[in-house]
């Protein structure tokens, strides 16, 4: 059993990343061997500033450690130090189909009407993501719901490659299962309950960043969009109230309770009472993370050492699978 997951080092970690994925990353360290990486190769699929990418890669490493990813127990690295990711992507490009990639909703969303103007990397991005997990024979991939389709594609690619180039008894790749937390599969924007919380949203008020200070968190929650109705007594009463549903869901995920338990506590109350309670719950968990992050973020040498150590282990573990893929394709390697 092996856990593998990644995050793009663009911008700050936000509450969606934390509840959808990172919290599970931390929990899974106790149960299985874990590989967590900064998807810097994915980050160049869209316009970027090189100096910012380098700084963000180290900052994101610091943020993950601050959240509880332990580089002594988990393998923490960035893709760029493990060339096997890019190599395996090329080998899988022969198996992936244009039609499969054309169906990816993230591609459609990001490309919009201007497909011809997008980079080839944005289109083939999910093949690199498949390589990321197949390279390590991942069995479990903890992600938010928006990555589910990419994981299904990785399974299709693995299955297709195995049946074309390997035997049933000795497959080259393991089919990975996504692990999606039901209570926090999709955290929505604080300004619009129909859009997911995202680092690419131009409004910083739409998201809680893990490094926001207490006053900022309280203000963002206070200004979050809601409706004038009081909170209902049970989950069914949240249907059609996207913003209310999102805030109650965040409270439930943060406190480890079910939505019904949260509603039992706040039934009949308005957001004037609920929002400060939610803000406090957020501050209580996020303040220590921000404090640890601020202590780590400027220690570039230590962060580089963590990433170098992780990359060295990742290269070692990736090598046999990469080798098996080359051989299965009939590529001669001496
Ligand atoms: P990224 O960097 O956009 O997000 C990192 C993780 O956070 C989750 N997430 C959310 N979960 C719930 N609600 C939200 N609003 C929310 N926003 C983000 C994402 O689902 C993800 O788990 N393509 C990936 C990175 C990647 C990867 C991989 C992931 C590259 N290779 C291999 C898993 C396995 C991405 O851009 O995630």
């Amino acid at each position: 059993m092996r856990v593998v997951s990644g995050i793009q080092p663009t911008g700050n970690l936000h509450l969606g990343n934390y509840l959808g994925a990172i919290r599970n990353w931390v929990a899974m360290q106790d149960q299985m061997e874990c590989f967590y990486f900064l998807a810097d190769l994915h980050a160049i699929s869209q316009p970027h500033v090189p100096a910012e990418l380098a700084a963000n890669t180290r900052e994101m490493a610091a943020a993950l450690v601050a959240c509880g990813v332990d580089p002594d127990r988990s393998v923490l690295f960035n893709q760029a130090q493990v060339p096997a990711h890019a190599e395996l992507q090329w080998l899988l490009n022969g198996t992936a189909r244009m039609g499969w990639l054309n169906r990816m909703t993230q591609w459609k969303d990001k490309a919009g009407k201007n497909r011809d103007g997008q980079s080839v990397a944005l289109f083939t991005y999910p093949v690199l993501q498949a390589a990321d997990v197949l390279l390590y024979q991942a069995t479990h991939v903890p992600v938010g719901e928006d990555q589910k389709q990419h994981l299904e594609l990785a399974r299709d690619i693995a299955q297709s490659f195995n049946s074309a180039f390997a035997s049933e008894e000795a497959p080259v790749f393991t089919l990975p299962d996504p692990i999606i937390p039901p209570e926090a599969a999709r955290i929505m924007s604080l300004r619009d309950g129909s859009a997911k919380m995202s680092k690419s949203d131009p409004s910083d008020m739409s998201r809680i960043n893990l490094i926001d200070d207490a006053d900022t968190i309280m203000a963002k929650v206070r200004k979050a969009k809601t409706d004038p109705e009081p909170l209902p007594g049970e989950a069914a009463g949240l249907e059609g109230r996207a913003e209310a549903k999102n805030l109650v869901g965040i409270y439930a995920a943060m406190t480890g309770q079910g939505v019904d338990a949260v509603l039992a506590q706040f039934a009949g109350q308005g957001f004037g009472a609920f929002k400060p309670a939610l803000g406090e719950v957020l501050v209580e968990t996020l303040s220590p993370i921000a404090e640890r992050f601020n202590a780590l973020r400027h220690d570039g040498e230590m962060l580089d050492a963590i990433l170098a150590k992780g990359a060295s282990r990742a290269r070692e573990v990736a090598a046999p699978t990469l080798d098996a893929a080359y051989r299965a394709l009939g590529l001669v390697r001496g």
Side-chain angles (χ1 to χ4, degrees):
M1 301 223 285
R2 186 173 284 148
V3 178
V4 178
S5 199
I7 181 164
Q8 287 201 58
T10 40
N12 296 321
L13 264 186
H14 58 71
L15 190 65
N17 300 133
Y18 180 68
L19 292 175
I22 312 303
R23 212 165 56 151
N24 256 349
W25 292 16
V26 173
M28 291 174 100
Q29 296 180 119
D30 297 328
Q31 300 151 23
M32 285 177 244
E33 188 183 14
C34 298
F35 287 70
Y36 299 130
F37 61 86
L38 306 159
D40 49 4
L41 293 182
H42 281 92
I44 63 166
S45 61
Q46 289 195 294
H48 75 286
V49 179
E52 280 177 18
L53 177 58
N56 284 341
T57 300
R58 295 190 178 98
E59 289 230 328
M60 190 62 92
L64 293 177
V65 174
C67 286
V69 172
D70 177 356
D72 289 329
R73 279 190 296 161
S74 293
V75 181
L76 178 60
F77 64 101
N78 60 313
Q79 284 171 318
Q81 297 200 59
V82 186
H85 288 250
E87 282 181 77
L88 184 60
Q89 180 190 19
W90 183 255
L91 302 188
L92 298 179
N93 274 340
T95 295
R97 290 285 162 264
M98 298 285 286
W100 300 354
L101 297 181
N102 259 322
R103 281 196 289 278
M104 294 293 112
T105 53
Q106 282 211 348
W107 156 249
K108 290 193 255 186
D109 288 350
K110 287 189 178 163
K113 291 201 173 72
N114 181 21
R115 291 194 177 189
D116 284 356
Q118 302 304 324
S119 72
V120 172
L122 189 68
F123 185 66
T124 60
Y125 177 115
V127 186
L128 178 58
Q129 186 158 344
D132 295 337
V133 295
L134 301 180
L135 199 48
Y136 302 98
Q137 308 287 346
T139 52
H140 298 74
V141 185
V143 283
E145 194 178 62
D146 61 343
Q147 296 303 318
K148 191 168 170 219
Q149 194 186 31
H150 287 161
L151 262 294
E152 281 160 4
L153 181 88
R155 290 175 66 93
D156 288 345
I157 291 175
Q159 201 152 30
S160 186
F161 187 104
N162 283 342
S163 73
F165 303 113
S167 64
E168 240 173 70
E169 305 76 57
V172 174
F173 299 120
T174 304
L175 269 52
D177 281 318
I179 306 290
I180 299 171
E183 71 288 356
R186 200 174 172 83
I187 303 294
M188 309 309 277
S189 154
L190 299 182
R191 309 299 294 167
D192 173 0
S194 67
K196 88 177 171 189
M197 186 177 286
S198 156
K199 40 195 160 198
S200 56
D201 192 319
S203 166
D204 196 55
M205 294 303 282
S206 70
R207 65 186 156 259
I208 305 276
N209 300 305
L210 263 57
I211 54 167
D212 283 343
D213 61 30
D215 290 346
T216 308
I217 292 174
M218 294 305 278
K220 284 181 175 179
V221 174
R222 199 167 51 242
K223 293 197 177 132
K225 190 175 166 202
T226 43
D227 57 44
E229 302 298 315
L231 284 164
E234 48 195 51
L238 290 171
E239 285 317 314
R241 298 175 64 186
E243 285 83 15
K245 188 175 177 179
N246 187 42
L247 295 187
V248 172
I250 292 173
Y251 191 101
M254 291 300 292
T255 56
Q257 300 175 74
V259 166
D260 280 323
V262 176
L263 291 176
Q265 194 183 333
F266 290 97
Q269 300 190 45
F271 287 97
F274 181 73
K275 282 178 165 179
L278 173 60
E280 270 168 36
V281 160
L282 287 166
V283 168
E284 201 180 309
T285 303
L286 302 186
S287 290
I289 293 178
E291 215 170 285
R292 283 195 293 274
F293 172 72
N294 284 323
L296 294 166
R297 67 192 294 193
H298 298 300
D299 197 342
E301 235 169 76
M302 186 244 341
L303 296 169
D304 283 352
I306 288 175
L307 294 177
K309 182 178 99 167
S312 154
R313 171 77 183 140
R315 285 193 295 267
E316 206 174 88
V317 174
T321 299
L322 183 66
D323 207 42
Y326 271 109
R327 285 178 202 286
L329 290 167
L331 295 161
V332 179
R333 303 188 87 199

